[in-house]
Amino acid sequence: MFKTILEVAYKNAFLRKSRAILLILMIGLSMGIMVGLEGLYNGMYVHMIDKSMRSDSGEIALYAKQYRLENDIKYRIENSEIKVERLAKLSGVDFVLRRLQVEGLAQTATKSNPAKVIGIDLKDEEKFGKFSDFLKSGELNFGKNGIFVGSELAKNLKIKIGSKVIFTTQDSNLEIASVALRVKAIIQTSNIGLDERGIYLPRERAAALMAVDPNSATQIAIRSDSEEIALLQEQIKGLFPNLEVYTFMELYPQLKQMQSMMDIFNAITFTIVMIVVFIGILGVMYVSILDRIREFGILLSIGYAYRYIRIQIISEAFFLGFAGYLLGSLIGFLLLSYMKIYGLDLSMFAEGMESFGMSSTLYATIESTYFISTFFAIVIASVLSVIPPLRKIKKLNPVEVIRDAG
Amino acid sequence: MFRLALKNTLYYRGRSITTFLLTFISAYFFIVYVAFTDGSHSSMLKNALEVYTGSLQIYQKEYRDEGGYDYLIEDTEKVFELLNHTEGLKAYSSRLETYGIASSKERSAAIMLTGVDFAKEAQLSELKKAFTEGVYDSKGACLYLGSDLAKKLQVKIGNEVSFVGSAIDYSFVAELFKACGIFKTGMYDFDTQSAFMNREYFDQIFYSQNSSSYIAAMANKMQENDQIAGQITQALPKDLKVYTWEELMKPMVELMEIDSIFGYISMGLFFLVIFFVIMIYGFINVSARIKEFGILKSIGLSDRNIDALLLYEIVILTLAALAVATPLGAYTAYYFEAHPIVIEGMSDMYKEYGVVSDEVPTLFVPFTVAWNTALVFVLNLLSVLYPMFYVRSYTPTEAMRHV
Amino acid sequence: MIKLKNVSKYFYRGEPREVQALKEINLEIEEGEFSVISGPSGCGKTTLLNAIGVLDTISEGTIELNGREIAHLSAEEKTHIRLTQMGFVFQAYNLVPVLSVEENIGFIMRMQGYTKEEIAHRVKEVASMLQIEDKLDALPNLLSGGQQQRVAVARAVASKPKIILADEPTANLDSKNSMKLMDMMKELNEKEGVTILFASHDEYVVENSRRVILLEDGELVS
């Protein structure tokens, strides 16, 4: 019985080809574009977070008390090596590294710009965040007096590979210290703060410049794949009560807010699109049922139960919605796949995007949630849309229907 | 045909109400959305321009690429003379920038120290408006510091600040100044790195008499800025160049273009769905009237007459909806331009991106409202094309036999 | 007035389901005739009427209206002929539902460009002939079937066409209304001199027509 009902429903759903095609196109195109946009925005956000984590704090970062407020080398973490070893042993911690940072002035013969020296261990940075991915030009080899320079800083100073840069700062003894350096590589992390100011030095050389113990650090950064970052944070706080421990989101609240805003935006887009899809299916189904009102009257009069008609109508709406969903999934998947692999090239806006810490090529993410949530939304929209026409059929007096339509 | 179309729109209420509502919603939200987007962009740009940049700047040609003291404007007075005779300028001022290390008792920081004419800057930029403490146009060995820089160096009004840098002849400069004034523009980078001093004393120390890194100017009316820039370019010596704010703030302009593009894509999605629904309802309405169209064709109405009928119907519905949506949308844009929405903490959170204010204003531009409305109108017209084509595909007899 | 020469009409020509609805029809309709095309169901009455009214195409032959061949004109030209020279009455769905009776009757005249005054005068004239002058402001859905058909006839005749083609005009009417309609159309034919051609199997229509054109399986029998 149900097989027959479903067969009839399937045939009726596509009886009026023009209407069905229009509806399927509407659902398919809107869903495809919506999923594409969602994937692109999420991709932008995910890549920003990923790059920020890899180039800066990781999932959790530790600082000496007062350091983040004062930004002064005197507030540094001593004996950082031991601390790193202890942290690395914690469950949920993938990798730990330390950095030493001080602000100062970078100068060439003709240009100057505020900058900050970041003392790093290149091998550690590679394990921590695949530092080699950030390389824009040159080679990742410090050599004798080599540095890596942030891309925006390089632009502002008009320097290239091989250029000479003087960095001047105040060391831990409050003395003015200067060092001459040569650019070996230009780095683009898409983290504005680092790209605009960053000068990377080997940690030991940075320590010498700042006149601090090489075992000092201004930041200890942790990579973790733990699902319970907050718990890990609490654990680390307990381990080092004299240090400040922050999660990534606490350090980058604007990214958190960006995520919230994107979620809200996606939800609003989703809701509005689904409401309009609902209206579209409602219109088509309502008219389709009105066209066949005599047929339903006859069916009711010969003993065909209302519940079978209900199943049939709901099935028809579902078939149409589902067909639209399949088309939308295909379009969305193709769009997202292309943008995941090749990205959306916005290089004509490169200057603008890079200056604000964004890559000029945007990559999308593909998540099953896009398709799953849309499936349920379309199913719900389809089923809800037939409630008004079903009410109409329920109220039918079969005799009147046959007489009026004849 | 028009009268028949009008009667049809009143008769077929379901389709009419749906089309009216969807058109109203899409037009209203489009107008408001564009007003907010343009408003926030315009506000960010305006803040940045008015705070310090100015609407145009004049440089020695190589200065922006090469920098340094080798490419200064060497005869500022000559350029001033030209600018005196240029119409449409509100103010202009010479600036000479140098970088160095500023140190207090406790701290040091890399800063950009700029010699300015405080009186002219008061008209040109918001340096005076941004004043918070001390004295604005101090004379002698006085610094006017950004608030975040003062915080960084831990100096208050009256404290000493040393500066180490180089003069324009590349000789060493080390000078002791007093913090005489503090300003806060809200632009984070600017407030953290910038210090100003009066030009007279600056010239004495840096030997920069009659020289400029660049000359900044502000047009009376921004719409005339390009024209003014062109005028100045023609009269300038060949080694000098004019940059308008679009060139100077190219990254910000580009970022805003991208933001607008993505905004339009998102709006495009709404329009797509709404377009389809309007088309579907129009199509359903038309297909329910196929027999009627068959009769009309039989008694002598041509395809063109039927096209006109359908077009009139959609035009009536669209114009009715737009007649309500457009004034309402325009008023909303106008209202929020005068009374911007305030999102507390927004400027603090997004200071890296140049957001200075917590206010989110709209930008009410009648032309923008007009093209927004026109776009919705055109989309609605396009939605009736398929139904028209559908009706045309029937011969009179086929239409009359239609079930 | 109307001459059909060797008119044939095929449906689904060249396909296995090909049907020849009209077979080499040769027919002349004179001015002022009050005739009916009759025959059993499926004999091709409506098809022949539609061919004469250039509502449908023919596969072979020619159709002349006052000496002018009309079967092979463009769609625009055929539409123009239907507008200016013919009037139509159908079995059902005749009227524009949103227009009043007065507006429905005057519709074709408005399309032809008559002035408001001319239309108003003619509408009153025709409405009183068909005894619907008290219904001018009503919408079609408030009228009975018989009244609606009379409005359809009024519309057809208002613009003074050369010929009125009526396809099963009494099919949806009871006998009383059928008789009434036929009497009024006869009166119109006599008073206005308009040629009226029916397609009908209604006995009453056949009996009251001056000429019966009999069709059987698409062929003229008499």
Side-chain angles (χ1 to χ4, degrees):
Chain A
M1 183 72 202
F2 287 106
K3 195 179 167 198
T4 311
I5 295 173
L6 287 177
E7 274 176 21
V8 169
Y10 180 80
K11 286 183 179 154
N12 274 316
F14 301 104
L15 184 66
R16 300 283 198 179
K17 287 197 176 50
S18 307
R19 262 186 239 164
I21 287 170
L22 272 180
L23 187 65
I24 290 166
L25 261 178
M26 176 188 85
I27 298 172
L29 279 175
S30 57
M31 181 193 155
I33 294 173
M34 190 175 70
V35 161
L37 276 178
E38 195 177 353
L40 193 66
Y41 288 147
N42 279 346
M44 252 170 69
Y45 177 71
V46 161
H47 281 100
M48 272 177 87
I49 290 185
D50 175 61
K51 286 201 170 173
S52 296
M53 275 191 189
R54 284 166 48 208
S55 61
D56 191 12
S57 64
E59 276 77 5
I60 294 177
L62 290 83
Y63 303 90
K65 282 197 171 14
Q66 295 283 82
Y67 176 75
R68 288 197 70 238
L69 209 63
E70 303 290 342
N71 212 356
D72 193 331
I73 190 71
K74 80 179 182 203
Y75 302 110
R76 58 188 181 270
I77 303 170
E78 302 291 1
N79 301 316
S80 58
E81 195 174 354
I82 300 169
K83 292 181 170 77
V84 165
E85 278 171 19
R86 282 179 79 183
L87 286 165
K89 287 184 182 139
L90 290 177
S91 152
V93 170
D94 288 339
F95 197 79
V96 188
L97 59 61
R98 50 204 172 130
R99 299 186 182 108
L100 194 58
Q101 182 177 300
V102 73
E103 295 200 355
L105 182 71
Q107 290 172 289
T108 63
T110 52
K111 289 241 176 192
S112 302
N113 206 83
K116 58 185 171 190
V117 140
I118 306 166
I120 61 170
D121 187 310
L122 193 55
K123 283 202 187 98
D124 283 351
E125 291 287 348
E126 186 62 27
K127 285 182 202 162
F128 184 85
K130 274 207 230 152
F131 195 81
S132 51
D133 278 357
F134 300 138
L135 180 66
K136 194 173 173 183
S137 60
E139 59 173 272
L140 291 177
N141 182 358
F142 286 118
K144 195 176 165 201
N145 262 338
I147 53 170
F148 312 148
V149 174
S151 54
E152 289 303 302
L153 178 60
K155 252 189 234 169
N156 290 338
L157 292 174
K158 303 284 183 233
I159 52 177
K160 45 185 198 280
I161 306 301
S163 297
K164 193 170 153 190
V165 174
I166 311 282
F167 181 78
T168 309
T169 185
Q170 188 181 37
D171 67 18
S172 60
N173 300 320
L174 304 180
E175 301 286 337
I176 300 292
S178 262
V179 65
L181 304 157
R182 201 159 291 274
V183 178
K184 289 296 181 99
I186 293 173
I187 301 296
Q188 187 167 30
T189 64
S190 300
N191 185 325
I192 303 179
L194 297 176
D195 290 346
E196 278 185 348
R197 307 272 181 85
I199 293 177
Y200 295 87
L201 268 184
R203 201 164 37 77
E204 293 76 20
R205 230 181 278 156
L209 173 67
M210 297 171 212
V212 298
D213 183 347
N215 208 2
S216 307
T218 50
Q219 179 196 56
I220 295 175
I222 297 171
R223 295 295 332 244
S224 165
D225 60 1
S226 167
E227 301 282 319
E228 310 280 340
I229 291 291
L231 272 176
L232 182 60
Q233 182 191 21
E234 286 310 307
Q235 200 182 354
I236 295 171
K237 274 182 181 170
L239 210 54
F240 301 107
N242 293 328
L243 297 179
E244 289 176 355
V245 184
Y246 295 98
T247 60
F248 175 78
M249 282 302 177
E250 285 170 339
L251 292 169
Y252 288 88
Q254 68 270 38
L255 283 180
K256 190 175 180 188
Q257 207 190 46
M258 214 185 275
Q259 183 188 34
S260 304
M261 281 170 69
M262 254 200 286
D263 286 343
I264 292 170
F265 176 78
N266 281 337
I268 292 173
T269 312
F270 192 81
T271 308
I272 292 176
V273 169
M274 285 302 133
I275 286 173
V276 187
V277 162
F278 164 82
I279 295 171
I281 300 177
L282 170 67
V284 168
M285 288 308 300
Y286 208 100
V287 168
S288 164
I289 284 161
L290 282 180
D291 282 350
R292 293 177 286 152
I293 206 85
R294 188 171 175 225
E295 177 191 327
F296 292 123
I298 291 169
L299 286 171
L300 286 171
S301 64
I302 63 170
Y304 195 68
Y306 167 74
R307 65 177 184 280
Y308 295 141
I309 294 178
R310 186 175 57 207
I311 294 170
Q312 182 188 324
I313 301 291
I314 291 172
S315 303
E316 283 178 34
F318 173 77
F319 285 134
L320 284 171
F322 187 68
Y325 168 78
L326 287 177
L327 178 65
S329 298
L330 181 66
I331 294 172
F333 184 75
L334 288 173
L335 266 174
L336 286 175
S337 297
Y338 180 85
M339 289 196 290
K340 184 176 180 178
I341 298 168
Y342 299 105
L344 183 66
D345 184 9
L346 295 173
S347 49
M348 61 186 197
F349 300 106
E351 203 176 321
M353 296 187 78
E354 285 168 10
S355 71
F356 286 93
M358 288 181 233
S359 171
S360 59
T361 305
L362 300 179
Y363 292 92
T365 55
I366 305 181
E367 302 284 336
S368 56
T369 48
Y370 306 154
F371 300 96
I372 294 171
S373 54
T374 320
F375 172 78
F376 283 113
I378 288 176
V379 166
I380 292 169
S382 304
V383 169
L384 288 178
S385 71
V386 296
I387 291 176
L390 275 175
R391 271 217 197 109
K392 202 167 172 73
I393 294 174
K394 198 164 190 193
K395 289 185 200 158
L396 275 184
N397 183 333
V399 171
E400 278 177 16
V401 164
I402 296 166
R403 186 185 63 211
D404 286 347
Chain B
M1 284 297 108
F2 182 79
R3 276 185 66 186
L4 181 57
L6 188 60
K7 286 177 184 258
N8 280 332
T9 56
L10 295 169
Y11 187 78
Y12 298 105
R13 272 191 291 270
R15 180 244 180 150
S16 299
I17 290 170
T18 311
T19 305
F20 179 92
L21 280 175
L22 287 174
T23 307
F24 169 81
I25 288 166
S26 55
Y28 177 77
F29 281 112
F30 189 40
I31 292 169
V32 171
Y33 177 82
V34 171
F36 267 109
T37 306
D38 288 353
S40 60
H41 290 168
S42 167
S43 165
M44 274 176 80
L45 279 170
K46 188 168 175 271
N47 286 333
L49 288 186
E50 286 182 356
V51 166
Y52 191 65
T53 309
S55 64
L56 54 91
Q57 292 178 355
I58 301 169
Y59 288 85
Q60 232 274 12
K61 268 191 179 146
E62 281 79 16
Y63 183 83
R64 280 176 62 81
D65 288 327
E66 302 296 331
Y69 291 136
D70 294 338
Y71 301 100
L72 298 178
I73 296 173
E74 285 176 0
D75 192 349
T76 303
E77 288 303 321
K78 196 173 173 187
V79 180
F80 274 8
E81 220 173 298
L82 159 71
L83 295 177
N84 281 338
H85 293 104
T86 306
E87 277 183 32
L89 282 179
K90 183 173 145 191
Y92 51 86
S93 177
S94 159
R95 292 170 181 164
L96 203 134
E97 291 173 348
T98 184
Y99 284 85
I101 299 277
S103 304
S104 63
K105 279 205 179 107
E106 304 276 319
R107 301 284 176 82
S108 291
I111 70 164
M112 182 182 74
L113 179 61
T114 309
V116 294
D117 181 331
F118 280 113
K120 286 193 171 162
E121 287 293 336
Q123 294 173 355
L124 171 66
S125 65
E126 290 192 352
L127 273 184
K128 187 174 184 185
K129 242 195 229 173
F131 165 79
T132 56
E133 266 183 79
V135 176
Y136 166 66
D137 52 354
S138 47
K139 305 263 186 284
C142 266
L143 290 181
Y144 185 53
L145 298 160
S147 58
D148 291 305
L149 175 59
K151 225 183 269 175
K152 209 175 184 181
L153 292 173
Q154 290 187 339
V155 295
K156 293 190 172 54
I157 300 295
N159 287 161
E160 280 179 342
V161 177
S162 68
F163 178 82
V164 172
S166 65
I168 69 167
D169 63 355
Y170 295 104
S171 61
F172 184 74
V173 168
E175 191 77 17
L176 199 59
F177 297 101
K178 246 194 210 150
C180 294
I182 292 175
F183 65 87
K184 185 179 170 74
T185 64
M187 285 169 63
Y188 177 68
D189 277 353
F190 193 74
D191 293 344
T192 318
Q193 294 170 205
S194 309
F196 297 88
M197 61 182 296
N198 72 83
R199 195 55 198 270
E200 278 168 25
Y201 195 76
F202 186 98
D203 286 343
Q204 281 178 40
I205 306 171
F206 290 92
Y207 310 126
S208 53
Q209 290 83 352
N210 203 22
S211 299
S212 307
S213 300
Y214 63 91
I215 294 166
M218 184 68 96
N220 276 322
K221 292 182 193 165
M222 289 305 279
Q223 307 91 290
E224 290 170 8
N225 198 52
D226 286 343
Q227 197 187 337
I228 295 168
Q231 264 180 272
I232 297 171
T233 304
Q234 279 181 356
L236 273 180
K238 293 289 171 236
D239 62 335
L240 298 183
K241 192 177 170 187
V242 180
Y243 292 86
T244 60
W245 65 268
E246 286 107 327
E247 292 162 294
L248 294 166
M249 304 186 67
K250 194 166 170 221
M252 200 182 240
V253 169
E254 278 186 358
L255 199 69
M256 282 169 191
E257 279 173 10
I258 297 164
D259 188 46
S260 294
I261 288 170
F262 275 106
Y264 287 135
I265 291 173
S266 301
M267 286 301 302
L269 176 59
F270 294 139
F271 282 137
L272 179 76
V273 188
I274 286 170
F275 167 81
F276 265 107
V277 174
I278 293 177
M279 195 208 302
I280 285 170
Y281 272 71
F283 173 76
I284 288 170
N285 175 263
V286 153
S287 70
R289 292 155 61 192
I290 282 291
K291 268 198 161 77
E292 181 191 327
F293 291 125
I295 303 287
L296 291 174
K297 283 196 193 197
S298 304
I299 64 172
L301 260 65
S302 64
D303 283 338
R304 250 185 245 165
N305 292 138
I306 310 270
D307 291 346
L309 177 67
L310 295 176
L311 267 171
Y312 278 132
E313 285 174 16
I314 195 71
V315 165
I316 289 165
L317 289 169
T318 305
L319 288 179
L322 291 177
V324 180
T326 304
L328 210 61
Y331 177 72
T332 307
Y334 178 77
Y335 178 82
F336 284 110
E337 190 181 41
H339 306 94
I341 293 174
V342 175
I343 301 176
E344 298 280 350
M346 189 179 73
S347 60
D348 203 47
M349 196 158 283
Y350 293 103
K351 59 191 176 200
E352 278 181 330
Y353 298 94
V355 175
V356 165
S357 166
D358 287 345
E359 289 184 346
V360 183
T362 53
L363 185 69
F364 172 66
V365 179
F367 175 74
T368 305
V369 172
W371 79 255
N372 293 162
T373 306
L375 182 66
V376 174
F377 181 78
V378 166
L379 280 176
N380 274 25
L381 283 189
L382 290 176
S383 75
V384 85
L385 286 181
Y386 180 69
M388 275 163 56
F389 167 77
Y390 180 73
V391 174
R392 271 185 175 244
S393 68
Y394 281 88
T395 62
T397 45
E398 284 169 351
M400 285 192 289
R401 280 199 296 266
H402 184 74
V403 173
Chain C
M1 185 192 178
I2 293 180
K3 263 190 202 156
L4 280 75
K5 286 182 189 165
N6 297 322
V7 168
S8 294
K9 169 74 179 175
Y10 293 86
F11 289 108
Y12 312 115
R13 197 165 195 182
E15 295 177 40
R17 51 178 176 165
E18 181 184 289
V19 166
Q20 190 175 10
L22 298 174
K23 296 173 184 170
E24 293 186 10
I25 307 285
N26 286 283
L27 179 64
E28 281 186 37
I29 312 286
E30 301 295 339
E31 212 164 316
E33 272 198 38
F34 189 79
S35 308
V36 62
I37 303 169
S38 191
S41 277
C43 69
K45 303 188 289 296
T46 300
T47 308
L48 179 57
L49 200 76
N50 286 344
I52 293 170
V54 287
L55 283 167
D56 209 348
T57 54
I58 55 174
S59 307
E60 289 163 12
T62 59
I63 302 174
E64 287 177 14
L65 175 64
N66 291 330
R68 184 187 175 199
E69 209 290 319
I70 59 172
H72 297 93
L73 294 176
S74 69
E76 289 262 346
E77 286 166 322
K78 284 181 183 175
T79 305
H80 184 72
I81 283 174
R82 288 200 300 276
L83 181 69
T84 54
Q85 304 202 41
M86 299 180 179
F88 293 86
V89 181
F90 301 102
Q91 179 179 333
Y93 295 96
N94 268 295
L95 307 177
V96 181
V98 301
L99 298 178
S100 66
V101 165
E102 182 175 4
E103 287 164 335
N104 264 291
I105 296 172
F107 190 72
I108 295 174
M109 290 183 76
R110 188 172 277 123
M111 294 299 302
Q112 290 173 341
Y114 284 91
T115 65
K116 268 192 197 158
E117 293 75 26
E118 285 168 326
I119 295 170
H121 175 77
R122 180 63 178 162
V123 163
K124 279 203 182 77
E125 190 182 23
V126 161
S128 88
M129 266 195 260
L130 288 156
Q131 294 173 27
I132 46 168
E133 66 273 27
D134 58 334
K135 301 284 181 193
L136 288 176
D137 292 329
L139 286 178
N141 62 354
L142 297 174
L143 305 179
S144 68
Q147 288 168 331
Q148 284 189 39
Q149 279 298 47
R150 277 184 270 153
V151 173
V153 171
R155 179 184 66 196
V157 83
S159 58
K160 299 191 181 178
K162 291 197 169 56
I163 181 167
I164 289 178
L165 302 168
D167 186 6
E168 305 280 7
T170 59
N172 284 351
L173 302 178
D174 58 36
S175 53
K176 192 175 163 196
N177 277 309
S178 297
M179 282 191 260
K180 220 178 184 174
L181 183 72
M182 280 304 295
D183 292 342
M184 287 178 181
M185 290 185 82
K186 224 186 217 173
E187 203 181 322
L188 270 172
N189 170 253
E190 284 160 8
K191 273 199 180 143
E192 302 253 317
V194 62
T195 310
I196 299 181
L197 182 63
F198 297 93
S200 180
H201 62 272
D202 188 333
E203 277 181 23
Y204 190 78
V205 173
V206 172
E207 282 165 13
N208 281 278
S209 302
R210 274 188 238 117
R211 178 184 173 194
V212 177
I213 301 160
L214 214 55
L215 269 185
E216 206 170 295
D217 290 334
E219 273 184 278
L220 268 180
V221 173
S222 68

